[in-house]
Amino acid sequence: LHKLQHVMMSVGLSSVALCTFLEQKGYLAQGSTNLVLAAAYGTSGLLILGHPSPNAIETRGHQLSGLCNILCVFAPLAATNKWAHLATSFFAMWNGCLWIALGFYFHPRFRGWGKGRPSTEDGDNAKMKIEHEDMMMMHISAAMGIYVVCGVILAQWKSEQRSATTCSSEAYAEVSAVEPSKVGADCPNLP
């Protein structure tokens, strides 16, 4: 069942790429890719929530990732609603940050935390202390991921504002005076 879950998640996301190609060629209705993407996120989220894990850190990573994927089901609205697009983008990017953190956790050469960290003590108390510290690092990484994702979103907003201000008011006045139907053609952010 473990391999079946991985295959189902991979097939779901791969089907989005295929659907994109078929939609661009005109074989599928416009917006089909967004619907398939929502289905892929939703099924991937449910599968990762139910994915067995041998330790608490991996379990928590799966829980957070599953939550992100399920919250990405706003994808069909992302093309028409800026808040749905923002939510989908946020949770998709945060999911990526979580998997990067889990990658460091599992990498044997990464000594900061996780599987590669050397243990100086033996016994159940030492194991519990290490697992507690690793859980704290997972949450710190997840929190830092939120800041990174918000920074990316803010940078994008700033670039959108800059493109709106590059249209000078003289050019706007000139275009609107000559042909009102062309207002916004060169400056799409203007009315």
Side-chain angles (χ1 to χ4, degrees):
L1 291 177
H2 185 89
K3 288 183 180 180
L4 179 62
Q5 283 186 321
H6 280 275
V7 167
M8 287 179 69
M9 286 185 276
S10 299
V11 167
L13 294 172
S14 298
S15 65
V16 175
L18 177 64
C19 190
T20 301
F21 175 76
L22 294 173
E23 185 178 331
Q24 287 176 346
K25 295 293 182 183
Y27 295 113
L28 294 175
Q30 191 125 11
S32 298
T33 302
N34 284 339
L35 185 60
V36 171
L37 182 61
Y41 276 134
T43 57
S44 182
L46 288 173
L47 289 169
I48 201 73
L49 279 174
H51 192 72
S53 303
N55 60 50
I57 291 85
E58 187 177 359
T59 299
R60 184 60 50 87
H62 285 175
Q63 290 169 345
L64 292 172
S65 176
L67 178 66
C68 285
N69 281 331
I70 289 170
L71 291 173
C72 282
V73 297
F74 294 110
L77 301 174
T80 58
N81 183 303
K82 79 176 186 178
W83 290 108
H85 186 270
L86 178 65
T88 302
S89 299
F90 174 84
F91 288 112
M93 286 190 289
W94 191 41
N95 190 32
C97 291
L98 294 170
W99 283 110
I100 289 170
L102 281 173
F104 281 119
Y105 173 76
F106 282 107
H107 198 284
R109 291 189 181 166
F110 187 71
R111 310 297 251 172
W113 72 296
K115 302 289 186 182
R117 183 171 70 173
S119 177
T120 56
E121 303 174 34
D122 289 330
D124 288 340
N125 285 341
K127 185 178 178 184
M128 193 180 332
K129 179 183 177 209
I130 288 171
E131 189 170 277
H132 176 75
E133 289 173 356
D134 285 347
M135 183 66 80
M136 288 174 28
M137 282 302 296
M138 179 65 203
H139 282 263
I140 289 169
S141 299
M144 287 173 32
I146 291 173
Y147 282 114
V148 168
V149 170
C150 287
V152 168
I153 291 171
L154 288 174
Q156 178 61 31
W157 281 351
K158 183 68 175 168
S159 70
E160 286 177 5
Q161 288 176 349
R162 198 173 313 117
S163 66
T165 59
T166 57
C167 299
S168 68
S169 58
E170 293 121 18
Y172 178 79
E174 184 180 323
V175 169
S176 64
V178 176
E179 193 166 337
S181 65
K182 290 195 176 183
V183 171
D186 294 338
C187 304
N189 295 324
L190 296 175

